[in-house]
Amino acid sequence: MAASLRLLGAASGLRYWSRRLRPAAGSFAAVCSRSVASKTPVGFIGLGNMGNPMAKNLMKHGYPLIIYDVFPDACKEFQDAGEQVVSSPADVAEKADRIITMLPTSINAIEAYSGANGILKKVKKGSLLIDSSTIDPAVSKELAKEVEKMGAVFMDAPVSGGVGAARSGNLTFMVGGVEDEFAAAQELLGCMGSNVVYCGAVGTGQAAKICNNMLLAISMIGTAETMNLGIRLGLDPKLLAKILNMSSGRCWSSDTYNPVPGVMDGVPSGNNYQGGFGTTLMAKDLGLAQDSATSTKTPILLGSLAHQIYRMMCAKGYSKKDFSSVFQFLREEETF
């Protein structure tokens, strides 16, 4: 399905919303203080590391939820909080006309929308379906076509910021879809993120996310290599990080998500690389970047190397650890 699809035209323009930059009446505060009467139930499918805190932020802003996850235990705390739990994506679509999906892979997204008990089995005309999964842009386009046939609207809105930003409601959403529907999507996404960016047609949100994560992987590997080299040259890791973060080498991987244990508090490297963004998911996203680069004949030399490194990590037992564990991987793999 994905490989044969032709890329859509260029983005129809950029619309950007940020509660940090726009504190006026039309901003996050106004959006999320709407009357309770306007807050009809929102469907939410996928309650993993990211979906769980995202759904909780919708609850905090007064939205009743219709919940589904393939793992029933993931729904328990929401059920205990009074939210409605159903037994399939189709049941979510029957009860809600605004649905957000947050799933690990393209296959999971296809199943949730087009499967035997998928959303499209019971979706209502006029429904707004927002997919915040990171998947192949071509899959997003194909799902959008299927949704459109049912008289509903599909938008891809992958996120950046990680679990910490999901918990604090400071995610960045990259949105692709019909521009006229952006405001409706923004009402919900603005309760989970501080930046909501319109990127263009369906699939452009995914394209932006894939590019971002490729750069993130490359910068994390570079940070890990740099810190490892400095430590072996006798530098104190906290001192080296401080120097990097006041110099031209500074990046998100060095100043916000440092991969070296003991350098920063509140990041996975300080918790044996538990939580955060898994190595398996980073390898998956880099695979999407590689596929897109192949289809567009775009050279991504460092992106391809990063893909191979994260695939090797998965094979070496790092699959369930945060992607910043590349530092530990490099420390332990002397054969390089």
Side-chain angles (χ1 to χ4, degrees), residues 35 42 45 49 62 78 104 173 176 206 211 237 241 248 251 257 270 274 291 295 301 318:
S35 66
V42 174
I45 299 172
N49 287 343
F78 292 93
F173 286 88
Q206 297 293 351
C211 291
S248 56
C251 64
Y257 212 81
Q274 300 303 305
D291 291 344
S295 66
L301 306 183
Y318 290 81

Side-chain angles (χ1 to χ4, degrees), residues 197-262:
V197 184
Y198 180 71
C199 299
V202 169
T204 56
Q206 297 293 351
K209 173 61 186 292
I210 289 169
C211 291
N212 178 79
N213 275 23
M214 181 175 75
L215 179 58
L216 174 60
I218 292 168
S219 68
M220 180 57 76
I221 293 168
T223 300
E225 289 183 345
T226 297
M227 294 296 296
N228 189 33
L229 175 61
I231 291 168
R232 293 189 178 191
L233 288 172
L235 288 167
D236 175 79
K238 287 187 176 181
L239 174 63
L240 177 56
K242 180 179 179 180
I243 293 169
L244 292 175
N245 293 333
M246 62 174 63
S247 305
S248 56
R250 179 181 181 180
C251 64
W252 188 86
S253 297
S254 69
D255 71 1
T256 303
Y257 212 81
N258 198 285
V260 180

Side-chain angles (χ1 to χ4, degrees), residues 177-193:
V178 179
E179 188 170 8
D180 289 346
E181 301 292 340
F182 178 65
Q186 177 184 304
E187 177 184 343
L188 296 178
L189 302 181
C191 294
M192 300 177 287

Side-chain angles (χ1 to χ4, degrees), residues 114-137:
S114 304
N117 292 303
I119 291 169
L120 295 180
K121 293 297 181 182
K122 295 183 179 180
V123 69
K124 305 169 187 175
K125 287 186 178 180
S127 292
L128 175 61
L129 311 179
I130 303 172
D131 182 35
S132 288
S133 317
T134 299
I135 61 176
D136 190 325

